[in-house]
Amino acid sequence: MRESDLGSLPALGVGLGYRRELDAAIMANRESIDCLEIITENFLGTPVGGPLELLRDRFPLTPHGVEMSIGTEGPLDPGYVDDLADLVARVGAPWCSDHLSFTRAGGVSIGQLTPLVRTRESAAEIAGKVRQVQQQVGTPFLLENITYHLDFPAELSEAEFITLVIESAGCGLLLDLTNVFINAVNHRYDPIEFLNSIPLERVVQLHLAGGYWSEGTLLDSHSAPVPAEVWELLDHVSSRTPALRCVILERDQEFPDDFTELTADLHRARAAIGSAVSA
């Protein structure tokens, strides 16, 4: 898929990652939320006419998966991809996404997003799977950069690996700016240099979130407001992502009693990116 094709996708605006704990507040603040990102696995195979359709009728939705495990050696689970295609069709999603990682080994879920061995061979295998997903699902597919705590010497740097996979697959990038910041802090590199080394022209969606420090390590917990350093990264990329169509704020725990904490971040993100993703 060409960059121009990614840029022609519908603009969804600035929205939230849907969590059931936030359902009532989301419905009460619909005027501040342009769209929702749903966790794919929470809605695969759910009955028609249930909560999924209620969300679909109120917001544009994009499915975001955690269990495709595109980095696991061997073929994808064909049943999973079929179910994903059904979900995308049910909600009319313009794209879907998952993580550049593996979450399964030996057929067993390991319960976390695990970084990959960054080799050209691995990048080629993953790119082939991405092409399969895009063909089978019928929409563009985005891969998200993840955080990692251990980093071993590899054939490719993280930026080189992401670039090779994305460009070989012809897919889009879901750029998590918080993950970039966290990795840069924990592994002591320049986040701006990293961002300038990846294909920003293929960024369709951004993630923003907040974490916390634990024993000298910054953790991606999705439990706090977006930190100042991540807002600075958003300012840096806002004019460098011509295909950007959506920004999603993630909050998975420590939900604020005052929902205006989240709507304030939504308004700030909207102001930072201007009219580029206006729904």
Side-chain angles (χ1 to χ4, degrees):
M1 177 170 287
R2 297 169 300 180
E3 291 89 343
S4 58
D5 295 328
L6 295 174
S8 66
L9 290 169
L12 300 190
V14 177
L16 282 175
Y18 175 76
R19 306 295 182 262
R20 289 187 176 92
E21 296 89 340
L22 295 173
D23 184 85
I26 287 172
M27 295 305 171
N29 291 271
R30 287 168 56 186
E31 73 284 351
S32 298
I33 304 166
D34 298 327
C35 58
L36 296 175
E37 179 187 77
I38 58 174
I39 300 300
T40 298
E41 290 74 17
N42 290 345
F43 293 95
L44 291 179
T46 55
V48 175
L52 180 62
E53 278 69 28
L54 292 176
L55 292 175
R56 180 203 62 194
D57 292 344
R58 289 163 174 78
F59 298 96
L61 303 179
T62 59
H64 180 55
V66 295
E67 285 291 347
M68 180 179 288
S69 198
I70 202 161
T72 298
E73 290 187 8
L76 293 169
D77 179 348
Y80 180 96
V81 182
D82 283 340
D83 289 343
L84 173 59
D86 289 342
L87 177 61
V88 167
R90 281 179 66 184
V91 301
W95 64 80
C96 57
S97 61
D98 209 298
H99 300 81
L100 185 54
S101 68
F102 73 92
T103 57
R104 302 184 68 82
V108 177
S109 175
I110 58 179
Q112 65 179 16
L113 301 170
T114 305
L116 302 166
V117 178
R118 299 191 301 262
T119 65
R120 295 183 184 279
E121 181 180 3
S122 174
E125 181 180 357
I126 292 169
K129 293 178 186 179
V130 171
R131 290 191 292 270
Q132 174 192 339
V133 172
Q134 294 194 135
Q135 182 176 10
Q136 193 168 341
V137 174
T139 65
F141 181 65
L142 317 181
L143 284 173
E144 179 184 356
N145 57 302
I146 69 166
T147 58
Y148 51 91
H149 298 296
L150 295 176
D151 193 25
F152 299 101
E155 181 180 356
L156 300 170
S157 69
E158 182 189 4
E160 289 171 336
F161 186 70
I162 290 172
T163 299
L164 184 56
V165 171
I166 297 297
E167 293 185 344
S168 298
C171 69
L173 177 59
L174 195 171
L175 178 60
D176 191 312
L177 289 174
T178 300
N179 290 352
V180 171
F181 168 61
I182 287 174
N183 287 339
V185 169
N186 290 337
H187 300 286
R188 295 177 176 83
Y189 64 73
D190 182 351
I192 297 297
E193 182 178 334
F194 174 87
L195 289 171
N196 291 342
S197 300
I198 62 174
L200 293 178
E201 69 279 1
R202 287 192 168 271
V203 172
V204 174
Q205 184 176 327
L206 296 173
H207 273 174
L208 307 173
Y212 68 94
W213 286 93
S214 176
E215 298 180 355
T217 299
L218 188 55
L219 301 179
D220 178 32
S221 60
H222 298 179
S223 62
V226 179
E229 295 89 346
V230 174
W231 290 118
E232 291 173 5
L233 297 183
L234 178 60
D235 289 337
H236 177 76
V237 303
S238 60
S239 63
R240 296 171 170 84
T241 49
L244 180 62
R245 316 311 290 150
C246 177
V247 179
I248 292 291
L249 176 67
E250 296 183 295
R251 192 66 169 260
D252 293 346
Q253 52 188 313
E254 301 296 330
F255 299 107
D257 293 330
D258 186 354
F259 196 74
T260 58
E261 179 183 308
L262 299 185
T263 57
D265 275 355
L266 294 176
H267 293 317
R268 183 170 179 177
R270 200 172 282 116
I273 61 176
S275 61
V277 302
S278 298

